[in-house]
Amino acid sequence: MVLNRHGRLGGRSRLAALAAAAVLVVTPVAAGCSDDGGGNGGGSSPTPTRTQMNEPADPAAAKAEITKNWTAFFNAETPVEERVRVLENGEQMRPVLIAFAADPNAARVSAKVGAIAFTSAEKAAVTYDLLIAGTPAVPNSKGTSVLQDDVWKVSVQTLCALVNQSGNAVPGC
């Protein structure tokens, strides 16, 4: 992330954050949204059959699912129903996702997953590049993925971090 002398995002970084926020935010549509987990990824429920360890039982399969779901979430051609499925508390965030899909700028934003490091059996730190028209605009961004309902999902915390970078506010973030 590149900050200018005023502590704000500069150049392509600011453009990427603004583009991401523009496609992710329509405040009137999102007015009813909330994150039961307080926007910190805490809304996921533990699976009782999982042992408490620092990674899932099959880390390779989990990494593949995380990569697939993050790519789908940020892909303009992914239907809203699929985005709801791969976003933590997706049903609650549906209005934001509908606005995201309807914004013509959404076709320019995508993400490429880099590193994935498990912090528990149900949470992973994800390093990704935020792309604008296929070009890295905010490389090495940090986000989280959470296991919710046996699906590795983009965390609401990650979505809200992108929105907050742009200076916009969305109920639920």
Side-chain angles (χ1 to χ4, degrees):
M1 178 174 2
V2 178
L3 298 179
N4 66 19
R5 64 187 174 105
H6 302 289
R8 293 189 175 151
L9 290 172
R12 293 184 61 84
S13 298
R14 182 161 174 77
L15 172 64
L18 289 172
V23 298
L24 294 172
V25 178
V26 173
T27 302
V29 175
C33 296
S34 68
D35 172 17
D36 287 342
N40 64 0
S44 62
S45 300
T47 304
T49 58
R50 294 204 180 272
T51 60
Q52 294 299 322
M53 49 190 201
N54 288 335
E55 62 182 29
D58 187 347
K63 285 181 179 183
E65 184 178 352
I66 289 168
T67 300
K68 176 182 168 234
N69 290 348
W70 277 60
T71 301
F73 181 77
F74 286 101
N75 183 334
E77 295 180 15
T78 300
V80 170
E81 286 304 315
E82 178 64 10
R83 287 185 181 162
V84 165
R85 190 185 77 73
V86 301
L87 176 65
E88 178 187 23
N89 302 329
E91 197 56 52
Q92 294 170 333
M93 300 300 286
R94 180 183 291 274
V96 175
L97 298 177
I98 290 169
F100 177 70
D103 191 307
N105 291 318
R108 300 185 64 214
V109 178
S110 61
K112 180 181 177 188
V113 174
I116 299 169
F118 294 101
T119 57
S120 75
E122 297 176 347
K123 191 170 184 179
V126 179
T127 302
Y128 66 101
D129 293 340
L130 187 62
L131 310 171
I132 302 294
T135 303
V138 185
N140 298 314
S141 296
K142 305 293 184 201
T144 54
S145 188
V146 295
L147 186 63
Q148 184 180 54
D149 301 325
D150 290 323
V151 176
W152 281 100
K153 301 181 180 191
V154 175
S155 70
V156 170
Q157 178 183 13
T158 299
L159 174 67
C160 291
L162 287 171
V163 171
N164 290 336
Q165 273 188 335
S166 71
N168 292 315
V170 173
C173 283

